[in-house]
Amino acid sequence: MTTKERIVQEALNLFSIKGFKGTSVKNIADEVGIKDSSLYKHFGSKQEIFDTIVLEMKQRMSRLAERMKLPEEEDYVKSAQAYGALSLEDLLALSRNIFLFYLKDDFMSRFWRMANMEQYQNSEVYEIFRQIFMEDSIMYQAELFGEMMNQGIFVKADPVAAAMNFYTPIFFLLSKYNGREEEEEEALKILDNQVREFYRIYRCQQ
């Protein structure tokens, strides 16, 4: 790991424990084992370190989509067709794999804890978390589910409400079980039941 990468990792670790505001550049430098002046050779400010963390998080999400061979988000017609071809068992497996990534990936887990802490201290930092994990997710799923309804894959309903019904329990489970990997099986059982119920309610009979 390069010094720059260590700075990012140690900064995220401190942010997830002490918060963004509660962590100083000196704190980060001390954890890496370098002087403040040496840290500034890699990053101009604490905010720049945070921006790099956000970029890394987005790249990890993109790599996950590639590994899972998820449909391109921009083409809702093809995405709806691809998801519509999934059986219930396929959907359960996909949901489990994505859920476990967000639950167990150490980088994502620490970012999640930091953002939840920052909602009470730093609205700018929390806004980034809210946009990525709430607004963007609901918007994408609403568009996707709306197209699936148009194609007769899902029953006709309010797409936004459907997106909320699918995503909100998963968001809750990620919040509840973050840092509690020993209870993974319990979380997965609840997740499976949620996905089955969603499938039963919205999937058109084939």
Side-chain angles (χ1 to χ4, degrees):
M1 189 180 294
T2 66
T3 299
K4 188 170 185 177
E5 290 170 337
R6 287 180 60 209
I7 291 171
V8 170
Q9 290 291 339
E10 294 298 343
L12 178 57
N13 191 50
L14 287 170
F15 292 163
S16 71
I17 297 171
K18 302 173 65 174
F20 181 80
K21 286 187 175 180
T23 301
S24 67
V25 170
K26 185 179 186 309
N27 293 150
I28 300 170
D30 287 345
E31 288 298 316
V32 178
I34 59 176
K35 296 180 179 179
D36 299 12
S37 56
S38 297
L39 185 147
Y40 283 115
K41 293 178 181 178
H42 300 279
F43 294 99
S45 65
K46 185 172 69 169
Q47 182 64 47
E48 187 178 338
I49 298 174
F50 175 77
D51 293 341
T52 302
I53 289 172
V54 173
L55 178 61
E56 171 64 20
M57 183 193 64
K58 291 180 178 179
Q59 290 174 342
R60 285 175 180 247
M61 294 170 69
S62 296
R63 291 196 292 269
L64 171 69
E66 291 175 2
R67 288 201 306 271
M68 299 290 180
K69 297 181 179 179
L70 300 180
E72 294 290 333
E73 291 192 0
E74 293 77 14
D75 193 333
Y76 290 107
V77 173
K78 288 186 178 179
S79 293
Q81 293 169 347
Y83 284 112
L86 296 178
S87 67
L88 174 58
E89 293 306 315
D90 292 334
L91 184 59
L92 286 168
L94 178 63
S95 299
R96 275 179 164 240
N97 287 333
I98 295 174
F99 178 81
L100 287 175
F101 168 77
Y102 284 106
L103 183 69
K104 300 178 76 171
D105 181 87
D106 187 53
F107 195 95
M108 300 297 294
S109 180
R110 284 181 290 162
F111 186 90
W112 191 280
R113 289 198 299 272
M114 176 198 67
N116 276 283
M117 184 188 305
E118 289 300 314
Q119 65 181 303
Y120 305 109
Q121 304 179 61
N122 189 323
S123 59
E124 181 181 356
V125 172
Y126 183 68
E127 179 62 24
I128 294 173
F129 175 79
R130 187 189 66 81
Q131 186 67 44
I132 295 172
F133 288 100
M134 299 180 196
E135 298 293 336
D136 290 351
S137 297
I138 292 296
M139 181 185 70
Y140 169 71
Q141 290 180 7
E143 292 287 345
L144 174 64
F145 293 163
E147 180 56 35
M148 293 177 77
M149 291 170 190
N150 291 337
Q151 294 185 23
I153 299 167
F154 277 0
V155 298
K156 289 291 185 179
D158 184 329
V160 176
M164 292 287 289
N165 288 338
F166 182 77
Y167 184 70
T168 303
I170 296 175
F171 185 89
F172 168 77
L173 289 175
L174 287 171
S175 298
K176 179 179 179 180
Y177 290 97
N178 186 289
R180 296 167 60 186
E181 287 79 6
E182 70 279 3
E183 299 178 39
E184 175 185 314
E185 286 306 315
E186 178 181 299
L188 290 174
K189 182 177 180 181
I190 299 172
L191 174 68
D192 286 349
N193 289 338
Q194 170 62 27
V195 172
R196 286 192 182 95
E197 185 67 2
F198 181 85
Y199 192 90
R200 181 188 67 81
I201 293 171
Y202 288 100
R203 180 74 187 208
C204 287
Q205 295 297 320
Q206 296 178 327

